[in-house]
Amino acid sequence: MYLCTLMHILKKNILIVGFFMVALSACSDFRKIQKSDDWEKKYNAAIKYYEEEEYYKSSILFEQILPIIKGSEKAEKANFLYGYTYYYQGQYLLASHYFKTFYDTYNRSEFAEEARFMHGYALYRDSPRYNLEQTSTKQAIVALQSFINRFPQSEFVPKATSALNDLQVKLEKKAYEKCLLYYKLKKYQTGEYLKAALVAFDNFQDDYPDSKYVEEIRFLEIEATYKLAEVSIFSKKKERYSEAIRFYEDFIETYENSEYLKKAEKIYENSLEELRSLNI
């Protein structure tokens, strides 16, 4: 029993040592290629590393030889794969930059269409969660829409369209959360905040008229207008209660079975009562 255990440990150690020897040898080979003055050797190694999915090593070698082979026949493929080495490492902004550079430089290349798509798709992959700053999301939308406009028959259009839909939903969700912010922070429901909320509601409906959130936003518009009337100076109350009634009437024309109907009706009745008292 003891002998069997010892043999097992020895075999395991031999495998570990063997693994490290291979790793050290591979590392040594890469270092030798990296220090070599033979650009063609580096080019071939970069392609090989790329095919073996060792994208970091591939990117290092491509970076070294790209200035040297500029204008040559092999520069086109090297520049194209260089963008992918960053994409597969998850460095999407750099990948997007290099794909755009490729397209701008080789716009007649067989890879140009794919590079134009990948420029936008890499930005899509870099797009953050909806509740964070959305600059790259907006850039991705512009890039992907531009690609679809330029290559409407491309095989990449379905993937670009799907990514665009995801990005639009993300912006829609962020805009929706911005609208709700004024209602989550109850203590800030002053006249100025309510006016800002109404502007946000109006902008949301303009930007996302088909959104699933529009029904709720239109109800909140009634509620916010009524609350604004309550905190308004006397000369503004009649106008704002009347506006709340108008918003209610428009709302029930579209959402006669809405889950917000009872609350909206209560606001409507209260607004009528306030107007009657103001006319005394």
Side-chain angles (χ1 to χ4, degrees):
M1 183 70 179
Y2 174 77
L3 183 60
C4 288
T5 303
L6 182 61
M7 290 297 291
H8 178 74
I9 294 171
L10 286 172
K11 285 180 180 179
K12 188 175 180 180
N13 288 340
I14 289 169
L15 286 173
I16 293 171
V17 171
F19 171 79
F20 279 109
M21 290 296 289
V22 170
L24 286 171
S25 176
C27 185
S28 177
D29 290 343
F30 174 71
R31 296 296 182 198
K32 287 176 183 177
I33 296 168
Q34 192 179 10
K35 293 177 180 179
S36 172
D37 293 327
D38 186 344
W39 69 263
E40 197 159 10
K41 184 177 181 180
K42 288 184 177 181
Y43 174 86
N44 292 331
I47 298 291
K48 183 173 180 291
Y49 282 128
Y50 181 87
E51 291 172 346
E52 293 174 350
E53 300 182 4
E54 294 196 51
Y55 300 114
Y56 174 74
K57 290 179 180 178
S58 181
S59 68
I60 294 296
L61 297 179
F62 276 136
E63 184 176 12
Q64 287 184 334
I65 64 172
L66 282 174
I68 300 170
I69 64 175
K70 186 177 181 180
S72 72
E73 186 178 334
K74 293 184 176 180
E76 182 179 319
K77 183 176 181 180
N79 275 282
F80 180 65
L81 295 182
Y82 188 51
Y84 267 116
T85 63
Y86 284 103
Y87 178 81
Y88 288 128
Q89 290 180 76
Q91 298 187 50
Y92 299 121
L93 282 180
L94 275 174
S96 178
H97 167 73
Y98 287 120
F99 283 125
K100 184 178 186 304
T101 300
F102 178 89
Y103 178 81
D104 291 341
T105 307
Y106 302 99
N107 53 33
R108 294 186 179 182
S109 165
E110 62 177 308
F111 306 120
E113 180 182 316
E114 184 173 350
R116 182 74 174 263
F117 164 70
M118 288 303 300
H119 161 58
Y121 197 74
L123 286 172
Y124 161 68
R125 293 295 303 274
D126 188 65
S127 176
R129 287 171 53 84
Y130 78 88
N131 56 339
L132 300 175
E133 208 282 324
Q134 295 296 314
T135 298
S136 61
T137 299
K138 294 171 184 176
Q139 290 173 339
I141 288 173
V142 171
L144 288 167
Q145 189 60 63
S146 177
F147 167 77
I148 292 172
N149 295 343
R150 176 68 181 81
F151 300 102
Q153 305 303 319
S154 171
E155 64 178 294
F156 299 108
V157 165
K159 198 170 182 179
T161 302
S162 177
L164 268 177
N165 290 338
D166 288 346
L167 294 167
Q168 291 288 1
V169 166
K170 190 177 292 188
L171 291 183
E172 179 184 322
K173 178 72 171 174
K174 185 174 180 66
Y176 168 71
E177 291 289 345
K178 180 180 178 181
C179 289
L180 290 190
L181 178 65
Y182 301 102
Y183 280 76
K184 289 179 178 177
L185 302 176
K186 296 285 187 184
K187 65 180 180 179
Y188 294 121
Q189 286 194 349
T190 62
E192 290 307 309
Y193 269 81
L194 289 165
K195 289 176 188 176
L198 287 166
V199 170
F201 296 154
D202 193 46
N203 289 340
F204 185 90
Q205 292 175 72
D206 287 343
D207 294 338
Y208 308 101
D210 300 319
S211 170
K212 65 180 180 180
Y213 301 117
V214 166
E215 179 182 344
E216 182 182 358
I217 293 299
R218 288 186 63 180
F219 164 70
L220 293 177
E221 190 174 43
I222 300 168
E223 189 175 63
T225 305
Y226 177 77
K227 289 180 178 180
L228 180 60
E230 285 186 310
V231 298
S232 294
I233 59 175
F234 183 81
S235 61
K236 289 284 186 179
K237 285 183 178 293
K238 184 175 181 179
E239 174 190 341
R240 287 169 177 165
Y241 283 126
S242 297
E243 191 170 25
I245 291 170
R246 181 175 63 80
F247 282 143
Y248 165 79
E249 290 171 343
D250 290 343
F251 180 80
I252 61 170
E253 281 185 15
T254 307
Y255 305 106
E256 58 182 12
N257 297 313
S258 173
E259 64 178 290
Y260 304 106
L261 192 58
K262 287 186 178 180
K263 291 181 179 179
E265 285 176 345
K266 182 66 176 175
I267 294 170
Y268 170 71
E269 291 167 2
N270 289 345
S271 297
L272 288 175
E273 183 63 33
E274 291 294 340
L275 283 178
R276 282 193 287 268
S277 67
L278 289 172
N279 287 330
I280 294 175

